[in-house]
Amino acid sequence: MNVLWLAPIAGLVSLVFAAILAVYTLKQESGSDKMNAISGAIQEGAAAYLNREYKTIAVVAVITAVILLVALSTSFEGGFFDSGRIALGFLVGAAGSAAAGYIGMSVSTRGNTRVAQAAFSGVRKALGIAFKGGAVTGLAVVGLALLGTSSFYILFGGDPHAVDLVVGYGFGASLISLFARIGGGIYTKAADVGADLVGKVEAGIPEDDPRNAGVIADNVGDNVGDCAGMGADLFETYVVTAIAAMLIGGLMINVGEVAHVFPGIASDLTVIEYPLVLGAVAIFASIIAIFAVRMGKKENIMGTLYKGVITAAVLSVILFYPVTVHLFGTNPAAYSLFVAAVVGIIIMALMVVSTEYFTQIHAPVKSIADASKTGAGTNLITGLAVGMMSVGWPVLIICGGILVAYLVPFVVTGASIAGLYGISIAAVAMLSTTGIIVALDSYGPITDNAGGIAEMADLPPEVRETTDKLDAVGNTTKAVTKGYAIASAAIAALALFSDYLHKIGGGVTAADFSLFNPLVLVGLLIGGLLPFIFSSVMMRAVGKGAFKIVEEVRRQFREIPGIWEGTAKPEYGKCVDIVTSAALREMIVPGMIAVVVPVVVGLVLGAIALGGLLIGVIISGLMLALMMANGGAAWDNAKKMIEDGYLGGKGSDAHKAAVVGDTVGDPFKDTAGPAINPLIKAMTMVAILFSSLFLATGVLPM
């Protein structure tokens, strides 16, 4: 059997195991009628939002598909036949991105009450259910991503030309992921910030207190942002990273370098198919790792979860070796690619360690908590400083990984293109463990919701204590996933940029991208600017949505008698409607930035300026996204550290200051920061798809 078929088979196996875990999760005891009613309200709100969001996005997707069909008909030898296949891939990629998030969210919104019920039996049982519920999203994401990418490659002919057509699939995944990330991020943080400000700060009532009309919207937001949004995000990250490596492989074939660079290779097409096979074997490793996550009597929660990550990483490395030898032979060139793959796994592990240090209860988070003793101002200053400092180690890790992944194949083979291929393989290997990493992320909203249900259903204090322990770890696992996705975006974007450079061809070389060329400099500056404008639009959207939530909750406190006494039920649906409308309205402008700006720059300033723009977006986007994601998570855990009794605990002045810091950090870590990841790749995919058009129509000279 051709080993390429391992890819679609592994995708199907992943989906089967996702279904098995979903059945297991839903078979668990769901608790009292009151708990199920609260969970039902969260399910209803989440489904209603996603249905409305995807209807809106579907219109954008269809219009974009028509544009691709017409605009690209002259860019390929196959004319409308090829542009039609790209448009088809785009629509399926868009549907896959939506499905990846929807599947996970459906299980997450039903697993929450089961985790709350399991918390009666202690941390161990509740952790097992929450993690397996999160693993449904992880396995669904990688299963759909690998199945779709490999199937379209095979369907379109299984050759270098097929890879160019599969780019449409990646663009569909990127664009819809971008909208899902933006919309979900605005929804979740507008609800969260609004509910916290009017509940914790003004009214002095606990988080998730049922008297707060914003609590259902807040719990819905955890799912549409951190589960559905992250599912769509990692789906496109996985797809685009694989396509980036396949494009470099196709480039190697087109320039006739394969046999020279890899003398023991089974077939020229191996350089295209190798990334898919790596993803396939890593899926099997991730499935085994999921079942390895079992809490011992003396283990802590974070250690138990990391046991799964370590198992997946080690098994993946072990499986990478025989696959590499089988495809490339036993020679130094083959071993250099294995080294590049191992580098990708090491980058993943080091990113986890770095993120955990800056966001878990260590010195940086403690410094933010201590700064809260003198008020919100010092809390904010320290939190910003921690966020900025947290960028250092991840960037150095990425730089080191890029250098090793490039230099080892380059030194062994003497071919620079082998070095570029090594970088892309490192990115693929890093993303190969997506199944277990997304499981860690989706675990977070399940435990967060479980705590909310425990509070609203008046469960015993020890139940809420258990869910709080699970939720505190969930903040870190979500931060780890965001850092992982952002780092992979930067590495994959470099590989995509190399393909863009090849696509514009026409005598254009890397030397043309000199800083002495004013078009390059203008492109760099515009690219560096975009993540800031993009983030500003989303932060303002969260602020406006939160303002409306605060006003609505205040109105209900004022006008509905009996809320304070608990004898009247707040109008939760009003807040759900407010943030739903705000998210759908505000997501359009930042989403269109990713498409409109590269098209305008490419058409007006030309392909060289657009290349500068892509580099600028990668550099500033990486830094800003890491700062926001890590800083926001650190603010959140500093607040939770105080809530656990540090500096006077809940209700203290330090706690009030920490809540303010957390409200600033919320849109940092869950709205603006993570959305920069799909922004980078969506813009790069636009550049690749329309490269020939930009090369021919640039108004200004190169």
Side-chain angles (χ1 to χ4, degrees):
M1 183 187 76
N2 187 335
V3 291
L4 173 62
W5 286 98
L6 275 176
I9 290 171
L12 289 171
V13 169
S14 185
L15 293 175
V16 168
F17 273 93
I20 292 170
L21 292 177
V23 170
Y24 166 82
T25 302
L26 298 180
K27 278 187 175 181
Q28 303 304 309
E29 189 178 350
S30 61
S32 65
D33 290 342
K34 187 174 183 179
M35 292 167 65
N36 281 285
I38 296 167
S39 179
I42 296 171
Q43 293 170 36
E44 182 180 345
Y49 170 75
L50 280 192
N51 289 337
R52 288 177 61 180
E53 179 185 50
Y54 288 152
K55 285 178 183 177
T56 303
I57 294 174
V59 175
V60 176
V62 171
I63 294 172
T64 305
V66 173
I67 293 172
L68 291 173
L69 176 65
V70 176
L72 298 181
S73 61
T74 59
S75 299
F76 294 90
E77 291 182 4
F80 278 106
F81 180 63
D82 278 352
S83 66
R85 290 193 285 179
I86 289 175
L88 173 64
F90 171 83
L91 291 174
V92 177
S97 185
Y102 205 100
I103 291 169
M105 189 214 67
S106 297
V107 175
S108 177
T109 54
R110 289 164 175 79
N112 49 25
T113 186
R114 289 161 172 82
V115 172
Q117 179 64 25
F120 280 97
S121 303
V123 170
R124 187 176 183 182
K125 184 176 181 181
L127 172 63
I129 296 172
F131 179 74
K132 287 184 173 65
V136 174
T137 307
L139 293 179
V141 165
V142 293
L144 287 170
L146 188 59
L147 178 63
T149 307
S150 58
S151 296
F152 271 109
Y153 169 70
I154 294 169
L155 180 65
F156 290 161
D159 56 22
H161 181 59
V163 183
D164 289 333
L165 301 179
V166 175
V167 170
Y169 182 74
F171 181 44
S174 292
L175 190 61
I176 270 49
S177 162
L178 181 62
F179 280 110
R181 250 306 182 195
I182 294 168
I186 292 171
Y187 185 113
T188 183
K189 290 304 111 177
D192 192 0
V193 171
D196 278 357
L197 286 176
V198 77
K200 290 183 183 179
V201 178
E202 288 188 8
I205 57 179
E207 185 173 7
D208 298 314
D209 191 299
R211 294 172 292 180
N212 188 335
V215 295
I216 294 296
D218 183 10
N219 282 277
V220 168
D222 292 332
N223 293 284
V224 301
D226 288 328
C227 192
M230 178 55 82
D233 186 357
L234 265 297
F235 173 88
E236 73 89 17
T237 298
Y238 190 100
V239 169
V240 172
T241 302
I243 291 174
M246 294 167 72
L247 286 168
I248 298 298
L251 171 60
M252 202 179 304
I253 292 174
N254 290 332
V255 297
E257 288 284 337
V258 178
H260 170 69
V261 175
F262 300 112
I265 197 166
S267 160
D268 279 5
L269 293 176
T270 295
V271 290
I272 294 177
E273 298 166 2
Y274 181 53
L276 297 174
V277 179
L278 288 181
V281 297
I283 281 181
F284 296 121
S286 294
I287 290 172
I288 295 171
I290 285 169
F291 291 98
V293 177
R294 295 185 178 183
M295 191 174 190
K297 292 182 179 180
K298 295 184 179 180
E299 287 184 31
N300 59 36
I301 299 170
M302 200 78 237
T304 301
L305 296 176
Y306 279 162
K307 187 162 60 175
V309 177
I310 293 169
T311 302
V314 171
L315 288 178
S316 294
V317 169
I318 292 172
L319 292 172
F320 287 167
Y321 182 77
V323 164
T324 305
V325 169
H326 176 74
L327 293 175
F328 290 91
T330 53
N331 55 72
Y335 299 147
S336 72
L337 289 183
F338 174 69
V339 170
V342 173
V343 166
I345 296 294
I346 292 172
I347 293 173
M348 180 274 292
L350 292 178
M351 286 297 298
V352 169
V353 172
S354 172
T355 304
E356 199 267 352
Y357 173 73
F358 281 100
T359 59
Q360 189 56 285
I361 308 300
H362 298 297
V365 168
K366 188 175 181 296
S367 70
I368 298 174
D370 288 337
S372 303
K373 291 186 289 187
T374 49
T378 46
N379 172 284
L380 293 173
I381 292 169
T382 308
L384 285 170
V386 167
M388 292 174 184
M389 184 61 70
S390 73
V391 175
W393 280 115
V395 169
L396 293 177
I397 290 166
I398 293 169
C399 290
I402 288 173
L403 287 175
V404 175
Y406 178 87
L407 288 174
V408 172
F410 172 68
V411 170
V412 169
T413 66
S416 60
I417 196 166
L420 291 174
Y421 189 64
I423 293 173
S424 67
I425 291 302
V428 167
M430 182 180 177
L431 263 297
S432 67
T433 56
T434 293
I436 192 78
I437 296 294
V438 174
L440 295 184
D441 181 84
S442 297
Y443 153 94
I446 295 176
T447 57
D448 197 340
N449 274 198
I453 290 171
E455 184 75 36
M456 288 183 275
D458 297 319
L459 300 187
E462 58 269 22
V463 172
R464 182 66 205 236
E465 184 179 336
T466 296
T467 60
D468 281 349
K469 289 178 181 177
L470 296 170
D471 184 33
V473 172
N475 287 324
T476 299
T477 61
K478 288 185 287 186
V480 163
T481 308
K482 292 178 180 74
Y484 168 81
I486 293 163
S488 67
I491 300 174
L494 288 175
L496 289 169
F497 178 78
S498 299
D499 186 71
Y500 171 75
L501 185 63
H502 168 69
K503 287 285 192 300
I504 60 176
V508 177
T509 65
D512 293 307
F513 289 94
S514 166
L515 290 179
F516 291 103
N517 185 336
L519 288 177
V520 174
L521 188 58
V522 168
L524 279 170
L525 292 174
I526 295 174
L529 167 69
L530 282 180
F532 289 88
I533 299 297
F534 180 79
S535 299
S536 172
V537 172
M538 287 189 293
M539 295 283 286
R540 287 174 66 86
V542 170
K544 288 190 285 186
F547 177 84
K548 291 180 179 179
I549 290 292
V550 170
E551 291 291 292
E552 175 59 24
V553 176
R554 284 174 177 169
R555 182 195 68 79
Q556 293 193 31
F557 280 151
R558 203 170 48 242
E559 298 179 6
I560 301 178
I563 284 185
W564 280 110
E565 296 76 19
T567 57
K569 186 178 178 181
E571 297 174 349
Y572 299 117
K574 296 268 187 166
C575 291
V576 172
D577 287 340
I578 287 171
V579 287
T580 296
S581 299
L584 294 177
R585 182 176 60 253
E586 300 287 349
M587 74 178 183
I588 300 300
V589 172
M592 295 310 296
I593 286 175
V595 178
V596 174
V597 173
V599 169
V600 170
V601 170
L603 291 177
V604 176
L605 300 180
I608 293 293
L610 181 57
L613 180 142
L614 296 179
I615 296 172
V617 167
I618 293 170
I619 294 172
S620 76
L622 172 65
M623 309 296 177
L624 188 60
L626 286 171
M627 188 274 285
M628 287 182 162
N630 292 338
W635 261 314
D636 196 348
N637 275 338
K639 177 200 68 176
K640 280 186 166 50
M641 184 179 179
I642 294 174
E643 287 178 344
D644 288 340
Y646 188 64
L647 300 178
K650 293 181 180 179
S652 65
D653 288 341
H655 180 237
K656 291 178 180 178
V659 169
V660 173
D662 181 39
T663 59
V664 175
D666 273 338
F668 265 41
K669 68 182 175 66
D670 291 325
T671 307
I676 293 174
N677 169 32
L679 171 75
I680 293 171
K681 283 170 292 182
M683 294 182 74
T684 311
M685 299 300 271
V686 169
I688 289 174
L689 282 170
F690 294 97
S691 54
S692 60
L693 185 64
F694 299 148
L695 188 64
T697 59
V699 173
L700 296 180
M702 292 184 188

